[in-house]
Amino acid sequence: MSNNEIKKCDSTIIHEDVVNKVKENMPPEESLYNLAELFKVFGDSTRIRILYALSASDMCVCDIAALLDMSQSAISHQLRILKQARLVKYRKEGKVVYYSLDDDHVNQIFAQGLEHVKE
Amino acid sequence: MSNNEIKKCDSTIIHEDVVNKVKENMPPEESLYNLAELFKVFGDSTRIRILYALSASDMCVCDIAALLDMSQSAISHQLRILKQARLVKYRKEGKVVYYSLDDDHVNQIFAQGLEHVKE
DNA sequence: TGAATACATGAATAGATGTTCATATGTACA
DNA sequence: TGTACATATGAACATCTATTCATGTATTCA
């Protein structure tokens, strides 16, 4: 790297060419924000366990609560978040509401994550 | 489903067979916890932007701060979290510390996430 | 050696988030 | 119609988290 690129860090930048090039290719702010929001949904062990359970079988709220040994209210709140993120869908049968995964990507994202965790 | 499986939700469960079968196949608590912790790292737009920037080019702390228009301290704190999650690595050259992605999975997890977000 | 610079880090604070508690909604069934 | 039950939801609270501010560490160079 040439010395004339060096500037004081706090005021400007060191490698102006690199920064400019990367900046040009950055996706729109909104895309990365949405991506972070999606991963935020995956970033809670209760929701992860719900998603994993649903990848094994469709289940009603009550069963999920029993499976995870948590209150029905807590599960219902989390299902709402998963629903808003379009990660789960539901069908009603009388009083009972059955939830299931709403997206093929869920399993793939899971798999990729597990690859990293394993080691 | 047969009626003798029906129980009161708050006390027990509705579909005991399903719950038991899913419970048997649940991964160890720790695995799902670690998975959630990993996604939690992805679940912040500052870190997402850092990771995206590093997927384009290795960069020093100062340049990342300039690129994202944030303080050096804020970036350094986030890099620490990314380092602990083994998502980035670094090399020192004199005073300057260059960060880069430490895992091929990062790009793949990114890609899967973007697939879901796009629509 | 001393000044300048790039980065790291601890403490503090404001804001976000998950669970609980109480209660509302909607469906089935006697 | 009234009771029981499965689920949803709003408010409150405790905990977690991202950034700022001040300062420490390490390296270069005059």
Side-chain angles (χ1 to χ4, degrees):
Chain A
M1 61 186 168
S2 57
N3 269 341
N4 59 3
E5 290 173 358
I6 305 291
K7 314 225 172 139
K8 188 159 168 292
C9 178
D10 280 338
S11 55
T12 61
I13 52 184
I14 297 184
H15 309 92
E16 198 167 2
D17 52 344
V18 172
V19 172
N20 287 335
K21 190 170 180 182
V22 173
K23 187 175 281 184
E24 285 171 16
N25 294 322
M26 285 289 276
E29 190 80 16
E30 192 191 1
S31 296
L32 294 180
Y33 178 82
N34 289 337
L35 190 56
E37 289 301 304
L38 173 65
F39 286 125
K40 199 173 291 183
V41 176
F42 281 92
D44 175 81
S45 55
T46 297
R47 288 191 292 267
I48 283 283
R49 291 191 299 159
I50 292 174
L51 290 173
Y52 195 93
L54 292 180
S55 77
S57 171
D58 298 5
M59 296 180 86
C60 68
V61 179
C62 191
D63 286 345
I64 299 172
L67 173 68
L68 304 185
D69 193 26
M70 292 182 63
S71 72
Q72 174 269 321
S73 177
I75 299 299
S76 190
H77 277 296
Q78 297 303 341
L79 284 170
R80 183 166 181 266
I81 292 172
L82 292 169
K83 205 191 308 172
Q84 287 174 337
R86 304 193 320 282
L87 296 176
V88 304
K89 60 188 175 188
Y90 65 94
R91 69 174 195 279
K92 292 187 71 171
E93 287 187 11
K95 288 179 295 185
V96 183
V97 180
Y98 292 92
Y99 281 85
S100 58
L101 295 189
D102 187 24
D103 198 304
D104 297 335
H105 302 136
V106 174
N107 281 318
Q108 296 173 27
I109 292 174
F110 250 83
Q112 294 293 344
L114 280 172
E115 281 298 312
H116 182 86
V117 169
K118 272 183 202 159
E119 92 191 39
Chain B
M1 60 184 170
S2 56
N3 269 341
N4 59 1
E5 290 172 357
I6 306 290
K7 314 227 172 135
K8 187 157 171 289
C9 178
D10 280 337
S11 57
T12 61
I13 52 184
I14 298 184
H15 310 91
E16 199 167 359
D17 52 345
V18 173
V19 172
N20 287 335
K21 191 170 180 184
V22 172
K23 187 175 279 183
E24 285 171 16
N25 294 322
M26 286 287 277
E29 191 81 16
E30 191 190 1
S31 297
L32 295 180
Y33 178 81
N34 290 337
L35 191 55
E37 288 302 303
L38 173 65
F39 285 125
K40 199 173 291 184
V41 176
F42 282 92
D44 175 81
S45 55
T46 296
R47 289 191 292 267
I48 282 284
R49 291 191 299 158
I50 292 174
L51 289 173
Y52 194 93
L54 293 180
S55 77
S57 171
D58 297 5
M59 296 179 85
C60 68
V61 179
C62 191
D63 287 344
I64 299 172
L67 173 68
L68 304 185
D69 194 26
M70 292 182 65
S71 73
Q72 174 267 320
S73 178
I75 299 300
S76 190
H77 277 296
Q78 296 303 339
L79 284 170
R80 184 166 180 268
I81 293 171
L82 292 169
K83 204 191 311 172
Q84 287 175 336
R86 302 190 322 280
L87 296 176
V88 304
K89 60 187 174 187
Y90 65 95
R91 68 175 195 279
K92 292 186 70 171
E93 289 187 8
K95 289 178 297 186
V96 183
V97 179
Y98 292 92
Y99 281 84
S100 58
L101 295 189
D102 187 26
D103 198 304
D104 298 333
H105 302 137
V106 174
N107 282 318
Q108 295 172 28
I109 292 174
F110 251 82
Q112 294 292 345
L114 280 172
E115 281 299 313
H116 182 86
V117 169
K118 271 183 203 159
E119 91 191 41

